[in-house]
């Protein structure tokens, strides 16, 4: 990631959300009217070009293309559903880790009574704040928390920003874990557990390694080409063990195929999003049975 502009991943994800908001998706009901306003001039031009290209395809080809682009809108809607559930259960703080160009504070009316913390690298966050300057948050309070994860202590930064560790928090960890080493994953999970009151909810998006040899070859090629390599693909049993070892209790762990069934989206096993998952965990209260102790992997 270069200074003074967001990561390539953050911009790519915002572009795909903006495409889906224009109806260029097979995920019904998807809306993100803010995403396009957070793109740079170059990425806005790419959005317009790709949208024109998709609309010019015949229906069959467009359907196949949209199916390949469904990963992001599917993931976003799956997380939104779980986030609304966490707020209904009492979380009045929401913290988005590695927020990038996230738009939930500007588009989700269900978060109107929450205090929202966006946590990210200072360079990406500075760009985001400039682009979002003219937008009106829907949340009770929006706080930006710049964190250099290689240098800063997450807990201290959150405390300085006004986060209350004695109040339940809904933690959103979307599109980040797959870029983290095991040490970074574990240290962040420990920090989140320490900052989580009983009743807090952790939403972790992660990716499993590709199952097929062809998928592995494609993955390694993309990792080589992309400037932000996916070094943290983990199998579901590994993620469950890491989350529970930190002090959370896993409630459910679903995959893209599950979200597609829930939302009525056609989904083939060969879909590139097939290895994308969402783990939901809670911070149990005093007296609750502890999660099973699992050896390090």
């Amino acid at each position: 990631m270069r200074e003074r502009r967001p990561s390539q991943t953050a911009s790519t994800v915002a572009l795909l959300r903006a495409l889906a908001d224009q109806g260029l998706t097979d995920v019904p009901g998807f809306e993100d009217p803010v995403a396009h306003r957070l793109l740079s001039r170059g990425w806005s031009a790419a959005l317009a070009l790709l949208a024109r290209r998709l609309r010019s395809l015949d229906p069959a080809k467009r359907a196949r293309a949209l199916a390949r682009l469904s990963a992001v809108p599917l993931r976003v809607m799956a997380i939104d559903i779980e986030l609304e559930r966490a707020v209904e259960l009492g979380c009045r703080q929401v913290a988005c880790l590695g927020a990038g160009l996230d738009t939930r504070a500007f588009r989700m009316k269900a978060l109107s009574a929450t205090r929202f913390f966006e946590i990210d690298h200072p360079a990406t966050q500075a760009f985001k704040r400039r682009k979002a300057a003219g937008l009106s948050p829907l949340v009770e309070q929006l706080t930006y928390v710049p964190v250099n994860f290689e240098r800063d202590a997450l807990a201290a930064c959150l405390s300085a920003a006004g986060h209350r560790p004695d109040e339940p928090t809904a933690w959103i960890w979307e599109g980040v874990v797959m870029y983290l080493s095991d040490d970074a994953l574990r240290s962040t999970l420990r920090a989140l557990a320490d900052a989580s009151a009983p009743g807090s909810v952790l939403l972790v998006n992660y990716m499993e390694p590709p199952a097929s040899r062809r998928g592995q070859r494609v993955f390694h090629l993309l990792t080589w080409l992309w400037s932000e390599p996916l070094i943290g693909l983990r199998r579901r049993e590994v993620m469950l063990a890491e989350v529970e070892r930190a002090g959370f209790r896993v409630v459910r762990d679903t995959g893209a195929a599950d979200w597609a069934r829930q939302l009525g989206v056609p989904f083939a096993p060969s879909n590139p999003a097939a290895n994308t998952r969402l783990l939901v965990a809670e911070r149990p209260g005093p007296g609750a049975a502890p999660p099973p102790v699992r050896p390090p992997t």
Side-chain angles (χ1 to χ4, degrees):
M1 184 180 68
R2 298 179 185 177
E3 295 296 326
R4 301 185 182 179
R5 75 174 191 181
S7 72
Q8 298 297 293
T9 301
S11 294
T12 301
V13 170
L15 179 148
L16 292 173
R17 297 199 317 266
L19 274 176
D21 182 68
Q22 294 183 25
L24 292 168
T25 181
D26 58 4
V27 181
F30 183 89
E31 293 183 357
D32 191 341
V34 180
H36 74 279
R37 298 184 61 174
L38 303 181
L39 296 173
S40 67
R41 184 177 301 176
W43 281 95
S44 294
L47 169 64
L49 181 65
L50 185 54
R52 285 197 302 269
R53 173 61 177 160
L54 287 169
R55 291 192 175 99
S56 71
L57 298 175
D58 67 65
K61 289 183 178 179
R62 183 164 58 248
R64 289 194 294 270
L66 295 183
R68 291 194 294 269
L69 298 174
S70 66
V72 167
L74 259 181
R75 181 181 82 186
V76 169
M77 288 195 72
I79 293 174
D80 287 358
I81 290 168
E82 293 290 356
L83 178 58
E84 289 188 13
R85 183 176 294 157
V87 171
E88 290 173 358
L89 291 174
C91 291
R92 292 295 174 264
Q93 297 182 120
V94 178
C96 189
L97 295 159
L101 301 180
D102 188 85
T103 59
R104 290 183 172 91
F106 301 100
R107 63 174 176 81
M108 290 186 68
K109 294 179 182 179
L111 306 183
S112 61
T114 68
R115 290 180 291 129
F116 199 103
F117 298 86
E118 286 205 10
I119 306 157
D120 211 345
H121 188 279
T124 296
Q125 194 166 89
F127 176 91
K128 163 72 175 295
R129 296 187 69 168
R130 290 196 300 272
K131 300 295 289 187
L135 302 176
S136 298
L138 300 181
V139 296
E140 181 179 294
Q141 178 181 327
L142 173 60
T143 302
Y144 292 98
V145 187
V147 176
N148 185 326
F149 291 95
E150 296 179 359
R151 184 181 65 227
D152 303 330
L154 176 59
C157 293
L158 281 168
S159 178
H163 177 263
R164 295 281 302 273
D166 58 337
E167 295 182 0
T169 301
W171 303 97
I172 305 167
W173 210 2
E174 177 184 10
V176 177
V177 166
M178 55 284 291
Y179 299 98
L180 299 182
S181 66
D182 288 344
D183 287 344
L185 173 72
R186 291 165 183 161
S187 63
T188 304
L189 283 172
R190 286 194 299 269
L192 298 185
D194 290 343
S196 292
S200 294
V201 176
L202 175 62
L203 308 177
V204 185
N205 162 232
Y206 69 100
M207 292 173 64
E208 291 192 295
S212 68
R213 290 186 178 181
R214 180 178 181 277
Q216 292 171 7
R217 288 196 298 270
V218 172
F219 164 73
H220 288 304
L221 175 61
L222 292 175
T223 299
W224 178 73
L225 292 173
W226 198 244
S227 59
E228 298 166 17
L230 299 168
I231 61 171
L233 302 192
R234 298 173 178 88
R235 299 196 181 281
R236 64 193 75 175
E237 61 270 18
V238 173
M239 278 302 305
L240 184 146
E242 295 289 0
V243 168
E244 290 190 337
R245 191 179 301 115
F248 291 94
R249 176 186 289 117
V250 173
V251 177
R252 57 188 157 270
D253 186 338
T254 57
D258 301 309
W259 317 332
R261 281 192 295 271
Q262 180 181 7
L263 296 170
V265 178
F267 195 87
S270 59
N271 191 296
N275 64 334
T276 304
R277 302 192 64 79
L278 176 62
L279 184 151
V280 180
E282 62 182 10
R283 186 68 160 144
V293 177
R294 302 171 186 268
T297 55

